Amino acid sequence: MLIRYFGAAKAAAGIEEETLTAGSLQLGELLEKLAALHPDAPEGTPVLQTVIGRSTFLVNEVAARDHSRLLAPEDTVDILPPFAGG
């Protein structure tokens, strides 16, 4: 599963993207796993768990609001924190 981080999520995770080898799991389970994988953040940056709490998500470029949504190993998940400006 390809995970792509944007904005504050990228800063908190310290990477732009990563690939996870996992079977099928729910979006909420994935988010918990990512927060556990990246428990620390650079000084002055909120930790990933905090950023995830205020983010929106895309699964294969389609908005995903339901955290019980089942994800497949070949899915791409984008983590999009709120952005300032327009």
Side-chain angles (χ1 to χ4, degrees):
M1 185 174 308
L2 178 63
I3 312 302
R4 299 189 299 194
Y5 300 97
F6 294 87
K10 178 179 162 184
I15 54 176
E16 192 169 311
E17 66 181 36
E18 65 184 316
T19 302
L20 295 181
T21 303
S24 296
L25 47 92
Q26 293 179 340
L27 176 59
E29 293 171 324
L30 171 66
L31 299 176
E32 289 174 9
K33 184 178 197 116
L34 294 174
L37 285 172
H38 304 284
D40 302 314
E43 187 175 331
T45 302
V47 295
L48 186 58
Q49 183 175 9
T50 300
V51 175
I52 284 173
R54 51 185 184 220
S55 294
T56 56
F57 311 97
L58 300 179
V59 176
N60 302 324
E61 300 184 11
V62 176
R65 293 177 182 86
D66 182 0
H67 285 210
S68 66
R69 178 185 174 149
L70 191 60
L71 303 172
E74 65 274 4
D75 284 341
T76 297
V77 178
D78 295 333
I79 301 177
L80 306 166
F83 291 90

